[in-house]
Structure formats: structure tokens, C-alpha cells
């Protein structure tokens, strides 16, 4: 197996070293860093990410979210800032800010249009992710959420390897056995990166009828808590499958925590944010 850096020129090695130093400096003033992950797509991971960001923001934390998904960056649309562009100050990129102060970096801000595909191989994606972490002027923050694409590929692996002192990883799953099998791989990878503060959120855990408010286990009986115990990770909570959660993002371009904070779904997101705070934050 070739040594790390084998075949690179001294200039290339120096550039990588400088970038790593910049990443450490750039993230030094961020108190808490959380990676949101999932084993497979379609489980509502980005929905969880933006609502957690909104919940922390409502709790008084200066919050940012980095949309790590190179090929399908959806966070800007879900936060109502689609079509915005990142500014430049000196040699730094300026994150886009929502109307209530959440800072956002995403590949969506750097491409010509939403219909423009990004056809990159692994090294290009890895380089772009590290470049944004290094070059965005994040300033002083309380909470940074990294919304990773699903699976155990280049993007989530790069985040886990690159972010110094990652405080926690939050896994998102559904009651589906396929989703649970895939999230096991994510948990295993995360533990291999020596990150042991791992929590589980079960999304679409049940359907809450909008007319009678009765609970229906349309995807099978919830077993998220038992699943978390089996993997020896923390169970953070279960979220209902409700049309107003998806409508909030798809139609109104805001998370449910912002559009309807008194809804049962929003209250569950806030409970999960509170659990993350209690279990993973070391308040001074």
C-alpha cells in the first residue's frame, strides 16, 4: 500500500498542509459540530438537518449548516434561500444568511442553475468539500450542522476525517428494516473514525391522522429505541410522518419548526435538539 502523499510534489504536499491548517483555524471558533447522516436516501435526513438547525437557532444558539451533498444540495430550498450566491471578502467566501440568522454553505450557491449536474469523481468531491470547509468565513458560531449525503461514500467519510473534534453524529432512519440495515454501516464507519457520541432519530415513525390525531404505524411498529440499544448508541427520538412537514419545505420553503412551531412535529424536533444539547454539549 503506497504511503499517504506518495507521488505528490513538495508544492502539493505544502498546499494540503496549509489547507488542513486553515480548516483547523476556520473551525476553531465553532463550539459544537454535529454530522447528520443516514444509511440510505429518502429517510428525511435533510429535513431533520434543517429543522434541527432551526430549533437550535430558536434556542438562542448562533447556528450554521453546511450542505455537504454535492450532487443533490437541497438545504437552500428548504431554508428559503434557493438561488442566492455566496459573496467574497478578501480570500474568503461568505455564507448565505437566512432572514433569521442561520448561516448556510452549499454547492447549490456555486453552480449556474439548479438543473446543472455535477459529474465529479471521488477526489474532486473530496477536494470541493475540504475547500468549502477551509475557505468559508464562518466566524464565531455555537452550532454547526453538517448535512451529509446518504451512505458511507466519499462525502461523509471526508467530513468525519476532516472535521476536528466532531462533537456528535446523528443517524436518521425509518422503521423499514432496509433503512436500519444501512444505518448499521454508517454507525460502524463512524465508530471506526473514533467518534463514539452517536445518536439515532427514527423519522416517519408513525402517521398522525390530521383529522382524528390518531397514531397509525403505516411503516411497521416503531423499534428505533430497541435498534439504538442493539447498536449501543443513544436514542434521540421519533418523528411522525405528517404532510405539513413536507409541505412546509416544498411549498413554503421553510422548516416546520419555523412555519408552525406549535405543531406536534415541530415540538418533537425541538425535543430532539434539547436531547442533543443535554447529551453532547458541554456548556460552560
Amino acid at each position: 500500500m503506497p504511503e499517504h502523499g506518495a507521488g505528490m510534489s513538495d508544492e502539493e504536499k505544502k498546499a494540503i498542509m496549509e489547507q488542513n491548517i486553515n480548516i483547523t483555524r476556520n473551525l476553531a471558533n465553532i463550539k459544537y459540530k454535529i454530522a447528520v447522516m443516514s444509511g440510505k436516501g429518502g429517510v428525511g435526513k435533510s429535513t431533520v438537518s434543517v429543522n434541527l438547525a432551526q430549533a437550535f437557532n430558536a434556542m438562542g444558539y448562533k447556528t450554521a449548516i453546511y450542505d455537504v451533498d454535492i450532487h443533490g444540495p437541497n438545504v437552500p430550498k428548504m431554508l428559503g434561500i434557493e438561488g442566492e450566491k455566496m459573496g467574497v471578502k478578501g480570500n474568503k467566501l461568505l455564507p448565505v444568511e437566512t432572514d433569521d440568522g442561520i448561516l448556510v454553505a452549499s454547492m447549490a450557491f456555486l453552480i449556474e442553475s439548479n438543473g446543472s449536474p455535477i459529474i465529479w469523481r471521488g477526489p474532486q468531491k473530496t477536494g470541493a468539500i475540504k475547500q468549502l470547509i477551509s475557505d468559508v468565513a464562518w466566524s464565531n458560531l455555537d452550532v454547526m450542522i453538517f448535512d451529509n449525503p446518504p451512505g458511507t461514500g466519499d462525502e461523509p467519510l471526508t467530513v468525519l476525517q476532516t472535521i476536528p473534534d466532531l462533537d456528535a453524529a446523528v443517524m436518521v432512519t425509518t422503521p423499514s428494516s432496509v433503512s436500519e440495515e444501512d444505518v448499521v454501516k454508517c454507525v460502524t464507519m463512524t465508530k471506526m473514525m473514533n467518534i463514539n457520541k452517536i445518536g439515532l432519530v427514527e423519522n416517519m415513525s408513525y402517521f398522525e391522522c390530521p383529522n382524528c390525531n390518531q397514531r397509525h404505524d403505516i411503516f411497521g411498529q416503531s423499534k428505533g429505541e430497541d435498534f439504538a440499544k442493539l447498536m449501543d448508541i443513544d436514542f434521540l427520538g421519533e418523528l411522525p410522518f405528517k404532510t405539513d412537514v413536507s409541505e412546509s419545505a416544498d411549498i413554503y420553503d421553510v422548516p416546520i419548526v419555523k412555519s408552525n412551531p406549535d405543531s406536534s412535529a415541530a415540538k418533537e424536533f425541538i425535543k430532539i435538539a434539547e436531547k442533543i444539547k443535554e447529551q453532547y454539549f458541554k456548556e460552560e
Side-chain angles (χ1 to χ4, degrees):
M1 191 178 211
E3 294 182 12
H4 180 66
M8 290 192 299
S9 67
D10 290 341
E11 289 78 11
E12 289 171 324
K13 291 178 183 177
K14 181 180 178 182
I16 290 173
M17 186 180 298
E18 289 177 350
Q19 185 182 64
N20 289 336
I21 292 171
N22 285 336
I23 288 171
T24 301
R25 287 176 177 167
N26 210 23
L27 300 182
N29 294 323
I30 300 173
K31 286 185 181 178
Y32 307 113
K33 298 177 278 291
I34 302 166
V36 178
M37 307 173 66
S38 68
K40 66 188 296 295
V43 299
K45 175 189 51 57
S46 291
T47 298
V48 170
S49 293
V50 297
N51 277 285
L52 285 181
Q54 199 71 53
F56 283 123
N57 188 64
M59 289 159 62
Y61 289 101
K62 183 64 177 174
T63 305
I65 183 167
Y66 178 12
D67 184 0
V68 186
D69 198 332
I70 300 290
H71 300 290
N74 297 314
V75 166
K77 175 174 175 53
M78 300 173 85
L79 288 173
I81 49 176
E82 189 176 31
E84 298 287 338
K85 298 297 179 185
M86 299 175 76
V88 179
K89 185 176 181 180
N91 61 348
K92 289 286 187 181
L93 291 168
L94 299 177
V96 175
E97 188 170 355
T98 66
D99 58 7
D100 48 2
I102 297 174
L103 301 180
V104 186
S106 173
M107 186 58 64
F109 299 140
L110 302 175
I111 57 179
E112 292 183 6
S113 71
N114 294 333
S116 301
I118 297 178
I119 307 172
W120 288 350
R121 295 186 182 276
Q124 291 171 295
K125 292 188 287 185
T126 299
I129 291 167
K130 295 183 74 171
Q131 196 74 38
L132 271 182
I133 297 172
S134 171
D135 292 355
V136 173
W138 289 114
S139 70
N140 294 326
L141 291 167
D142 295 313
V143 179
M144 165 83 83
I145 292 175
F146 297 87
D147 181 37
N148 287 288
T152 56
D154 293 309
E155 297 98 316
L157 181 59
T158 299
V159 169
L160 295 183
Q161 289 179 325
T162 303
I163 305 305
D165 304 319
L166 191 69
D167 291 278
V170 174
M171 303 290 166
V172 181
T173 188
T174 67
S176 161
S177 60
V178 174
S179 175
E180 290 178 346
E181 287 173 4
D182 288 338
V183 84
V184 168
K185 299 172 186 175
C186 269
V187 171
T188 301
M189 178 183 74
T190 305
K191 288 182 176 180
M192 288 173 66
M193 297 293 107
N194 296 317
I195 298 164
N196 297 311
K197 293 180 180 178
I198 306 172
L200 180 73
V201 173
E202 187 178 70
N203 193 26
M204 306 182 212
S205 184
Y206 57 92
F207 174 70
E208 188 177 284
C209 176
N211 298 317
C212 65
N213 294 323
Q214 290 294 312
R215 172 174 174 152
H216 302 278
D217 297 322
I218 59 175
F219 296 114
Q221 187 175 3
S222 171
K223 45 186 181 284
E225 190 164 8
D226 292 337
F227 186 47
K229 287 179 182 177
L230 184 65
M231 294 188 294
D232 193 26
I233 62 176
D234 303 313
F235 183 64
L236 299 175
E238 57 184 24
L239 295 162
F241 179 79
K242 295 192 70 177
T243 55
D244 56 353
V245 175
S246 58
E247 285 177 351
S248 184
D250 294 341
I251 299 174
Y252 304 110
D253 293 340
V254 289
I256 189 74
V257 169
K258 181 177 180 179
S259 65
N260 191 2
D262 293 324
S263 66
S264 59
K267 288 177 180 178
E268 288 301 320
F269 278 116
I270 292 170
K271 283 182 184 177
I272 291 170
E274 289 281 1
K275 273 194 176 182
I276 292 172
K277 170 189 170 182
E278 291 169 6
Q279 294 183 218
Y280 304 136
F281 291 3
K282 295 186 178 111
E283 296 285 0
E284 296 180 359

